[in-house]
Amino acid sequence: MTNNYWQRRITRRRSIGLGAAGLSTAYLAACGGSSNNSNKPATSAAATQAPTSASAGGSPAGGNLTPAPRTATPNNAAKGTGRTDTTVDESAQAIPGATWRYRTSTDYPSLDPYKSASFAAQYHGAYIYSRLSMFKSGPGVDPNSFEVAPDAATGFETADGLTYNYHLRPSMKFGNIPPVSGRALDSSDVKFSYDRFVSVSPSQAALTNLVDSISTPDATTVQFKLKLKYAPFPGQIASATEAFFLYPKEADSFDPAKLNIGTGPYTLDKDTPSVGTTYTRRQDWWQKGLPYDNTLRIIIPEQAQYLAQFLAKKIDEYGPTNEEVIQVKSQAPEALLGTGAIGVGMSMIYFSGQEPDSPFKDPRVRRAVSMALDRDGLIDSFGNVQAIKKAGLPISTAWSNIPVPAGFSSYWLDPKDPSFKEGQWYKFDLKAAKQLLAAAGFPNGFKTEYHYAPTRYGQTFDSSAEAVIEMMKQLGLDLDVHPDDYNKVYIPEVFTKGNFKGMAYGLESGYSDVDGYAFNMLHPNGTRNHSHVNQAGGTLFQDGGKLTGMIEAQRQETDLQKRKAVVGDMQRYVSDNMIYVPTAVYGYTGFSFAWPWVHNAFAFRSSTYAQATEAWAHYWVDDNERKAKGG
């Protein structure tokens, strides 16, 4: 770790930043496949998950384990490809049966998505298992709109907002694998899945806090009775984060981590640790003709090798860091370039809620941490904003606040807006930050732990983790850096249980509604309450239930304008107390490349961990074209 990290490149604003060309090979790591990919462990640790592998519990603008989520409209195709608008649905010309090849950076922590809170497990689950509903995708559909669409259920109805009846699709069949052997899904499978979810999943609170009971009036009807009116319930059921996947009831007699049988679009062919995964398309899935292709998921830990394999045409997509976009565009001029909107995830700092004497209990210290972050500098540097603008490519930027990512534009309050007075704590002002620290009794700073999970979220995440370290040092914090193992320490202990000291840098993503962030991060019953906010025994922040009341009020408010008002008040309150500190990394447009033989690559886009169902099932590869062009 270098002490002059943040001074290696001069930008238009000040000495900040680190472009891809300036990265030491120690920082190059693997990512999961998105607009910001991974690197290998730095000398002090390294790596993470990128918006291409979806979030470990979080992922930037839509983290994922594979190609970056296509969250925006792509540019026109390159000259000579014969394709001038890649946002058009090309399904009518589909030639099924090829293999779509993509890269990921990491093994699955579990092949049973109920057993892990990792983004990776949820990505895998979407290949194999259905949900009652999914989110709509296709040309003209904004993936951040999270419009609920049918999956295992043809639809639902509710008369009072407390009782929801879902009606199962008669043609929904499990894979033809013993002991289930291709039988149809029925309501008893849904009931079994719910009971199993609430008994084994670390994310069980996502439903147990909402659902009072589940019943099966008949073989094709499932009835949920809620404890309270919950406006986003249909989206919660459709979500692939903390996902309510549907298992066969026979799973009580076998281990779903070893035998995967679902009603989803693919069957698992083979999973080889450190090598990759092959999925075979199901030709009897309910969406007739889909998926078009089989899938080969290839583990390539290093970003440089990822690029080399793409340029050699051995994989079909590439999720660059923004520092690489112009370079790769030049190296692969015939490749299709897709641009993505600012997503619904965020990078952030959170604090231990287990230390009675923690300096971070004082809101002035948390505000100081926030004001020591040069958010525009982070965006300019890691987003490569000025160079991308100069190249004539579209790019936009924004700061997320806590707890609303900028991608939720209808609810989001801009910290830069003068009317958002709590935005004062988001402004970069190192002098004022040090004054706050001194007023809190720490004129010379203090020593604290700093946790993060390298090699899982991508190169941008790993490099930004180092940048944040340098900014905290400038504030006066003496950091004891802990690069935690993602599967063994970060997810099960730091992220899920909040079992750590000091501060942690991580990602939060995958939710389809602002309540996912508000409730899970800040409510006593939240599944991702990393800092034990308002929990019994929590030491960081207790306010007697005021914040909890705001969270519960917005959950139950069905009038959109009234709900927006409550969410606005909540954003101001949480930002003023700076309970978590968003960093603004990933607060910019991301990009993706695909070879022209990949069809529908940018027409079907998903902002969730269910890309296998919502997007990739629609992709198809023209194998003849691929072979003719050396792929």
Side-chain angles (χ1 to χ4, degrees), residues 6 13-14 16 347-351 365-379 382 399-400 402 416 423-434 450 464-475 477 479 503-505 578 580-585:
W6 219 206
R13 301 186 66 254
R14 61 181 66 83
I16 64 167
S347 57
M348 63 178 188
I349 295 168
Y350 49 98
F351 309 101
V365 175
R366 301 193 298 268
R367 291 167 180 164
V369 168
S370 179
M371 296 182 75
L373 294 172
D374 182 357
R375 290 178 173 82
D376 280 336
L378 290 166
I379 287 175
F382 294 110
W399 294 357
S400 290
I402 290 292
K416 290 186 175 183
Q424 64 181 308
W425 309 125
Y426 289 84
K427 294 176 181 176
F428 175 60
D429 189 335
L430 190 57
K431 181 180 179 181
K434 289 183 175 181
Y450 177 93
S464 65
E466 300 287 342
V468 170
I469 289 171
E470 295 305 317
M471 291 178 177
M472 293 301 101
K473 286 182 178 178
Q474 292 175 14
L475 176 62
L477 303 191
L479 300 183
M503 60 199 300
Y505 178 56
M578 202 52 71
Y580 295 80
V581 179
T583 71
V585 177

Side-chain angles (χ1 to χ4, degrees), residues 407-444:
F408 285 119
S409 56
S410 64
Y411 289 94
W412 169 70
L413 298 182
D414 185 352
K416 290 186 175 183
D417 190 320
S419 65
F420 187 22
K421 68 179 183 63
E422 294 79 9
Q424 64 181 308
W425 309 125
Y426 289 84
K427 294 176 181 176
F428 175 60
D429 189 335
L430 190 57
K431 181 180 179 181
K434 289 183 175 181
Q435 289 173 345
L436 280 172
L437 210 58
F442 302 100
N444 299 314

Side-chain angles (χ1 to χ4, degrees), residues 72-247:
T73 307
N75 296 330
N76 288 339
K79 257 188 193 176
T81 64
R83 296 167 66 191
T84 57
D85 186 355
T86 55
T87 64
V88 172
D89 185 350
E90 300 172 295
S91 299
Q93 295 80 40
I95 306 170
T99 297
W100 148 254
R101 307 166 304 178
Y102 74 84
R103 171 268 189 161
T104 184
S105 64
T106 182
D107 288 317
Y108 289 129
S110 175
L111 292 177
D112 181 356
Y114 275 12
K115 291 294 186 70
S116 175
S118 168
F119 69 93
Q122 309 309 310
Y123 268 108
H124 168 69
Y127 275 102
I128 306 299
Y129 303 101
S130 299
R131 293 155 288 153
L132 287 171
S133 304
M134 64 171 80
F135 292 115
K136 187 176 180 180
S137 65
V141 177
D142 176 3
N144 286 356
S145 67
F146 298 104
E147 183 179 344
V148 174
D151 190 7
T154 58
F156 68 88
E157 76 265 345
T158 179
D160 57 5
L162 286 171
T163 300
Y164 284 80
N165 292 314
Y166 280 81
H167 304 286
L168 300 183
R169 189 179 303 280
S171 58
M172 209 71 182
K173 294 183 178 180
F174 287 99
N176 192 15
I177 303 169
V180 185
S181 303
R183 68 168 178 81
L185 171 81
D186 63 38
S187 59
S188 64
D189 297 302
V190 181
K191 176 68 163 60
F192 167 82
S193 299
Y194 178 82
D195 292 341
R196 184 172 187 270
F197 181 84
V198 300
S199 65
V200 307
S201 173
S203 303
Q204 52 79 27
L207 289 181
T208 55
N209 283 297
L210 298 173
V211 177
D212 184 51
S213 67
I214 178 173
S215 60
T216 56
D218 57 54
T220 60
T221 304
V222 179
Q223 184 176 89
F224 294 91
K225 290 190 176 180
L226 306 188
K227 297 175 181 177
L228 64 153
K229 287 186 178 180
Y230 179 60
F233 183 71
Q236 175 70 59
I237 288 295
S239 176
T241 303
E242 304 177 328
F244 177 39
F245 290 119
L246 304 181
Y247 290 65

Side-chain angles (χ1 to χ4, degrees), residues 273-459:
S274 302
V275 176
T277 313
T278 55
Y279 295 96
T280 301
R281 69 188 182 106
R282 288 187 57 186
Q283 298 184 48
D284 60 347
W285 193 42
W286 74 267
Q287 291 203 55
K288 190 174 181 180
L290 296 180
Y292 293 121
D293 286 356
N294 303 314
T295 299
L296 175 61
R297 169 185 173 271
I298 306 169
I299 296 176
I300 306 174
E302 297 185 5
Q303 182 79 3
Q305 182 64 15
Y306 177 24
L307 176 57
Q309 293 295 301
F310 176 72
L311 295 176
K313 301 179 180 178
K314 293 183 179 179
I315 52 177
D316 299 315
E317 57 73 38
Y318 185 66
T321 63
N322 274 32
E323 292 98 329
E324 297 176 296
V325 171
I326 298 169
Q327 166 203 341
V328 178
K329 190 171 183 289
S330 173
Q331 290 176 297
E334 71 273 36
L336 307 175
L337 174 62
T339 61
I342 294 172
V344 294
M346 69 180 96
S347 57
M348 63 178 188
I349 295 168
Y350 49 98
F351 309 101
S352 172
Q354 297 182 329
E355 298 177 273
D357 299 323
S358 170
F360 299 115
K361 289 175 60 179
D362 191 322
R364 293 171 296 185
V365 175
R366 301 193 298 268
R367 291 167 180 164
V369 168
S370 179
M371 296 182 75
L373 294 172
D374 182 357
R375 290 178 173 82
D376 280 336
L378 290 166
I379 287 175
D380 284 350
S381 178
F382 294 110
N384 202 22
V385 175
Q386 299 309 311
I388 287 173
K389 285 182 177 178
K390 188 176 180 181
L393 297 176
I395 187 166
S396 57
T397 65
W399 294 357
S400 290
N401 71 60
I402 290 292
V404 180
F408 285 119
S409 56
S410 64
Y411 289 94
W412 169 70
L413 298 182
D414 185 352
K416 290 186 175 183
D417 190 320
S419 65
F420 187 22
K421 68 179 183 63
E422 294 79 9
Q424 64 181 308
W425 309 125
Y426 289 84
K427 294 176 181 176
F428 175 60
D429 189 335
L430 190 57
K431 181 180 179 181
K434 289 183 175 181
Q435 289 173 345
L436 280 172
L437 210 58
F442 302 100
N444 299 314
F446 54 87
K447 186 172 183 177
T448 190
E449 293 184 8
Y450 177 93
H451 295 258
Y452 76 111
T455 67
R456 285 300 182 276
Y457 298 104
Q459 178 175 305

Side-chain angles (χ1 to χ4, degrees), residues 252-283:
D252 63 357
S253 64
F254 62 83
D255 183 358
K258 296 179 180 179
L259 181 60
N260 286 195
I261 307 174
T263 57
Y266 301 86
T267 57
L268 175 64
D269 184 12
K270 186 178 183 180
D271 181 67
T272 305
S274 302
V275 176
T277 313
T278 55
Y279 295 96
T280 301
R281 69 188 182 106
R282 288 187 57 186
Q283 298 184 48

